[in-house]
Amino acid sequence: MLLADYRPKSQLVTRNTLVEKPRFPVIDVHNHLSEPFSDWGDKPLAELLDLLDEAGVITYVDLDGGWGEEILNAHLDLFKAKAPERFQLFGGVDWSQWERIGSGFPEWAAGRLKIQKERGAQGLKIWKVLGLHVRDHNRKLVEVDDPRLIPLWETAGELGLPVMIHVADPVAFFDPIDETNERCEELQAHPDWIFTSPPFPSFMSIMESLASLVVRHPNTIFIGAHVGCYAENLGWVSALLDRCPNFYVDISARIGELGRQPYSARRFFIQYAERILFGLDLGPDLDAYRIAYRFLETDDEYFNYDSEEVPQQGRWYVHGLYLTDDVLKNVYSGNAKRILGIEQ
Ligand SMILES: [Zn+2]
């Protein structure tokens, strides 16, 4: 038998709680309505709203506003215009224009933000290409805290647009792909996620750059996607949260990380209950929502964090955090209401 075919079945007899609905209404601050996560452009909106009702999600933040007006307008028309209180839409930066525009790019990008806000964008999504792929007009790799981009971040702050920022990726994506890599199987399935350093910058250099960016712009709200982009090290994330009141984190796509360190994760949620936001990042997927609710609400032990038989982020299981009502209320919606200006 090959190791890849191994499917051990746990013989533990422990509780298996189905949490159909979250204990309190949920605002999902990190999700998508376009490929590759989900594609709702051609499906009836009523179906999506029913699904969100079923999942207990009152507001869904769609990060797929793109960077030009076309996609932004399309998503506004398809979703937001028809059910304004159920959706928020985030815009983006068209990095590909740096080469054409040259040194005026940062001011241009800041100007685009103003236009996006006028159209209806309620935040700015920064994709992980910044720090990994984005290049300036001299074809030089742009660092996350590149000072030339100061106008962009300051403008986001002035406009009151929170910045949902995802930099780097799981730490193991930066390591050599060998028998010690804990995400080896996942990287074999997605070779485009391999950022082995070198040639890519090291994981820690990207994280230090993120920290210096957040410190430099105290008047701009940054939401560090995927537990501040470093779910493997809650101590590091805690230190940045302590240092920067303008920093928040979402928990999207990181149940697998948080749930394999349940004691640290529970302490983290209790200590930073006002800084942690709920997000899924897997499309409006009912099963995935229910796994997240089970993780946050129950003390179930050793369960699969994925809908797939072999969990995709790594062959381990997770333990529930049995958070209190106060913490849950903040994480599910209280913090998001404050930061995203949602009145409900
Ligand atoms: Zn995402």
Side-chain angles (χ1 to χ4, degrees):
M1 182 177 66
L2 292 172
L3 208 46
D5 298 327
Y6 189 44
R7 300 279 186 282
K9 289 216 185 319
S10 167
Q11 297 296 352
L12 278 181
V13 181
T14 49
R15 242 196 318 275
N16 183 349
T17 315
L18 172 62
V19 183
E20 288 191 357
K21 280 242 193 306
R23 203 176 300 159
F24 305 103
V26 158
I27 295 175
D28 182 350
V29 306
H30 186 138
N31 223 320
H32 302 274
L33 287 170
S34 292
E35 296 282 10
F37 306 94
S38 65
D39 195 358
W40 280 85
D42 300 326
K43 287 188 249 181
L45 182 70
E47 209 178 296
L48 175 58
L49 293 176
D50 284 350
L51 202 159
L52 295 178
D53 287 343
E54 180 111 35
V57 175
I58 49 171
T59 305
Y60 185 96
V61 178
D62 169 15
L63 300 176
D64 292 338
W67 24 85
E69 276 148 51
E70 213 176 300
I71 301 174
L72 193 76
N73 287 340
H75 276 237
L76 285 168
D77 291 348
L78 280 167
F79 310 109
K80 175 97 186 161
K82 293 178 187 155
E85 39 339 292
R86 302 302 297 274
F87 298 101
Q88 283 215 349
L89 182 61
F90 278 34
V93 177
D94 186 357
W95 302 110
S96 73
Q97 298 302 310
W98 202 324
E99 187 164 8
R100 181 179 66 80
I101 294 169
S103 57
F105 173 80
E107 287 293 347
W108 174 84
R112 299 304 304 169
L113 266 194
K114 287 184 193 146
I115 295 166
Q116 290 181 21
K117 175 164 179 175
E118 279 159 25
R119 301 272 157 142
Q122 286 161 291
L124 168 63
K125 170 77 200 290
I126 298 297
W127 298 75
K128 67 182 176 189
V129 289
L130 181 62
L132 287 172
H133 298 294
V134 171
R135 290 180 184 273
D136 68 11
H137 52 290
N138 297 316
R139 307 297 303 145
K140 200 173 158 285
L141 193 69
V142 176
E143 289 182 17
V144 172
D145 65 344
D146 189 310
R148 291 173 294 178
L149 291 171
I150 286 174
L152 176 68
W153 313 118
E154 285 299 301
T155 301
E158 283 157 23
L159 295 172
L161 296 175
V163 179
M164 166 69 75
I165 185 161
H166 174 197
V167 297
D169 242 352
V171 185
F173 290 12
F174 291 77
D175 289 336
I177 313 303
D178 61 19
E179 73 283 3
T180 67
N181 192 308
E182 66 173 356
R183 309 286 284 252
C184 197
E185 283 182 296
E186 186 185 16
L187 291 170
Q188 277 165 356
H190 300 278
D192 53 319
W193 294 350
I194 296 172
F195 303 117
T196 307
S197 168
F200 285 94
S202 73
F203 175 83
M204 272 327 293
S205 72
I206 298 176
M207 295 312 294
E208 277 155 21
S209 199
L210 171 66
S212 99
L213 172 71
V214 176
V215 169
R216 198 179 63 198
H217 299 281
N219 298 321
T220 303
I221 286 179
F222 290 91
I223 304 167
H226 316 310
V227 196
C229 312
Y230 200 179
E232 296 91 333
N233 187 344
L234 297 180
W236 189 95
V237 178
S238 300
L240 190 56
L241 285 165
D242 288 341
R243 229 174 129 191
C244 301
N246 57 324
F247 189 54
Y248 295 81
V249 302
D250 80 46
I251 61 166
S252 66
R254 291 297 180 272
I255 304 289
E257 288 302 334
L258 293 166
R260 64 170 170 158
Q261 46 181 330
Y263 308 127
S264 305
R266 189 165 194 278
R267 280 193 296 269
F268 180 76
F269 272 86
I270 292 168
Q271 186 167 356
Y272 299 101
E274 295 183 353
R275 313 285 289 281
I276 301 172
L277 307 165
F278 183 91
L280 195 70
D281 198 26
L282 299 165
D285 180 320
L286 195 55
D287 290 336
Y289 276 122
R290 287 175 173 165
I291 291 171
Y293 303 153
R294 182 185 184 194
F295 168 65
L296 296 170
E297 295 185 20
T298 78
D299 62 356
D300 285 4
E301 296 165 291
Y302 195 67
F303 58 92
N304 191 342
Y305 59 86
D306 200 336
S307 315
E308 300 284 319
E309 184 193 2
V310 176
Q312 297 170 85
Q313 296 184 338
R315 286 173 181 257
W316 54 78
Y317 277 7
V318 298
H319 306 269
L321 300 186
Y322 58 101
L323 298 172
T324 61
D325 287 359
D326 284 350
V327 176
L328 285 172
K329 278 183 200 160
N330 277 325
V331 171
Y332 275 159
S333 70
N335 301 332
K337 282 182 184 172
R338 227 169 47 241
I339 298 166
L340 304 179
I342 296 170
E343 288 167 30
Q344 273 190 51

